[in-house]
Amino acid sequence: MSFSVGQVARLAGITVRTLHHYDEIGLLTPGERTSAGYRRYTDDDLTRLQQILLYRELGFGLDEITVILDEPRTDELTHLRRQHELLTRKAERIHEVIAAVERAMQARTQNIALTPQERLEVFGGFQPEDHDAEAERRWGSTDQYAQSRRRVATYTKADWLQLRAEGESIAADLVAAYKAGLPADGEHAMDLAERHRGHITRWFYTCTYEIHRCLGDMYPQDPRFTATYDELAPGLADYVRHAIHANARRA
């Protein structure tokens, strides 16, 4: 059984002109011709066309495809295996690009007004937008969430760097107090907890003592928060929680 050039064009989703061009350059020469000289494509021709279109999808030029397909001792299964590997790599890359685009979209909805270079300087490898969906799910209906989004939308690179520096300073002082063996319910630790609460209020939203207690409870309960604090000093997450609760009682 053979097919006309029009039938093949419709089957493959390409133009008749493309098939004529492939014939002219020797990439796909029809296996048969009618007595009137019209092209007729065999099953083997359709198999070769499939290989051509797959390699085109992978970005190969026509000259490269000609060399690949005419390579001696290379059968259809070899081509399919090679194409599968290349397509898998391409799919992985596409998924990476899609993920990057989604993060960029989330960053825009989160209103973090920084250039890509500034984002790297401020956040490093951390992607704030990766946590935006969870934050909106958990707190999206609260006034604090809305207040935080309004505030961060106005922050410049200098603001973010200052915010980060203040947060790191508080964390370093908490580590020092913990390692020095100062009690979590002592004046110094409670003062640090108050600084922590003030930091949130200054940069994100009005952090009441009740909200601060809830945040403190999250630190040893949520593995991600626990890991962040305990990376600085094992047991620090629980220490901070106790300091926050003590400070709230003092207030």
Side-chain angles (χ1 to χ4, degrees):
M1 182 177 181
S2 61
F3 303 85
S4 70
V5 65
Q7 289 174 315
V8 173
R10 287 192 295 273
L11 285 170
I14 57 178
T15 65
V16 170
R17 183 176 179 180
T18 296
L19 289 170
H20 286 174
H21 180 61
Y22 288 173
D23 185 9
E24 291 166 2
I25 65 175
L27 177 58
L28 179 64
T29 302
E32 299 176 1
R33 286 186 182 267
T34 67
S35 58
Y38 293 111
R39 298 172 175 86
R40 300 293 296 182
Y41 291 84
T42 65
D43 288 341
D44 287 342
D45 296 332
L46 295 185
T47 298
R48 184 177 176 92
L49 177 59
Q50 180 188 33
Q51 304 299 337
I52 293 169
L53 296 178
L54 281 171
Y55 279 118
R56 287 291 286 160
E57 179 66 26
L58 289 164
F60 287 85
L62 296 180
D63 291 341
E64 294 175 296
I65 296 172
T66 302
V67 172
I68 292 170
L69 294 182
D70 291 341
E71 183 181 346
R73 299 181 301 279
T74 302
D75 58 16
E76 182 184 0
L77 182 58
T78 300
H79 285 300
L80 288 172
R81 285 172 175 163
R82 177 187 295 162
Q83 289 161 355
H84 182 271
E85 180 182 355
L86 293 171
L87 285 167
T88 299
R89 292 179 189 171
K90 185 176 182 179
E92 291 172 352
R93 175 57 185 156
I94 289 174
H95 284 308
E96 291 174 358
V97 173
I98 290 173
V101 171
E102 288 176 346
R103 286 196 296 269
M105 290 166 60
Q106 290 170 344
R108 292 297 178 266
T109 60
Q110 199 178 23
N111 294 326
I112 297 178
L114 297 176
T115 67
Q117 181 180 351
E118 289 172 338
R119 286 172 60 84
L120 282 174
E121 292 181 47
V122 172
F123 299 115
F126 176 70
Q127 300 282 353
E129 57 272 15
D130 288 350
H131 305 275
D132 195 42
E134 179 182 1
E136 185 170 6
R137 185 175 65 254
R138 297 177 70 170
W139 303 296
S141 61
T142 66
D143 293 339
Q144 288 77 18
Y145 181 80
Q147 185 181 14
S148 178
R149 286 176 64 86
R150 286 195 302 270
R151 288 190 181 183
V152 301
T154 67
Y155 290 169
T156 64
K157 173 187 170 183
D159 292 327
W160 282 107
L161 290 175
Q162 184 178 353
L163 182 161
R164 187 179 73 176
E166 290 180 7
E168 290 174 348
S169 173
I170 294 169
D173 288 345
L174 283 165
V175 169
Y178 174 62
K179 289 185 174 180
L182 300 179
D185 58 356
E187 287 295 321
H188 184 67
M190 288 191 291
D191 288 345
L192 291 175
E194 181 62 21
R195 278 177 58 196
H196 182 271
R197 190 181 71 87
H199 178 73
I200 296 171
T201 295
R202 176 181 179 185
W203 291 104
F204 298 105
Y205 55 83
T206 303
C207 183
T208 65
Y209 288 104
E210 181 59 32
I211 291 174
H212 203 212
R213 274 198 296 263
C214 291
L215 290 175
D217 289 338
M218 287 177 57
Y219 297 157
Q221 292 172 2
D222 188 314
R224 293 166 299 182
F225 284 108
T226 304
T228 298
Y229 277 105
D230 286 7
E231 183 178 347
L232 300 174
L236 181 62
D238 198 52
Y239 180 81
V240 173
R241 173 189 175 276
H242 284 301
I244 288 173
H245 275 259
N247 182 57
R249 289 193 300 271
R250 177 177 66 170

